[in-house]
Amino acid sequence: MKQIINGKKYDTTTATEICVGFFGNFNSKKVTLYQKQNGEFFEHHELSEFGFREWIVPVSKAEAMDYAEQEMSVDEYESVFGEVSE
């Protein structure tokens, strides 16, 4: 999916997929975190309940890190965001 938001282009085919989470009744909502080549993050939302919809939401690095903490293993997380102290 491609979308322009606030004058910036977001493209799921050129960005790097970081992690995926499923939510809602019967996992009807899929949220995929992506990182653009310039380092910016965004979420691609897909909702399959009551018909199919999809949209993109730009997120800050802090928001991306919060989401990734829930969906990634420690090794996966640190491979993207760097080593975390104990």
Side-chain angles (χ1 to χ4, degrees):
M1 174 183 192
K2 296 178 187 177
Q3 190 171 346
I4 295 175
I5 301 170
N6 295 326
K8 294 183 178 183
K9 182 177 173 183
Y10 298 86
D11 185 347
T12 59
T13 63
T14 59
T16 302
E17 183 178 305
I18 304 299
C19 63
V20 178
F22 293 90
F23 308 93
N25 297 331
F26 308 106
N27 290 326
S28 60
K29 185 174 184 182
K30 177 181 176 185
V31 179
T32 307
L33 178 65
Y34 286 91
Q35 186 173 23
K36 294 170 55 174
Q37 293 176 0
N38 67 3
E40 295 178 6
F41 293 93
F42 67 93
E43 294 174 343
H44 176 235
H45 294 249
E46 296 176 76
L47 184 61
S48 59
E49 192 173 40
F50 309 115
F52 181 78
R53 289 185 35 218
E54 64 180 326
W55 64 96
I56 288 177
V57 177
V59 295
S60 67
K61 183 177 180 181
E63 291 169 320
M65 291 171 76
D66 286 344
Y67 181 69
E69 282 180 11
Q70 300 170 37
E71 302 300 329
M72 300 173 84
S73 70
V74 171
D75 291 337
E76 292 169 330
Y77 181 94
E78 289 185 329
S79 72
V80 175
F81 299 105
E83 190 173 334
V84 178
S85 62
E86 293 185 28

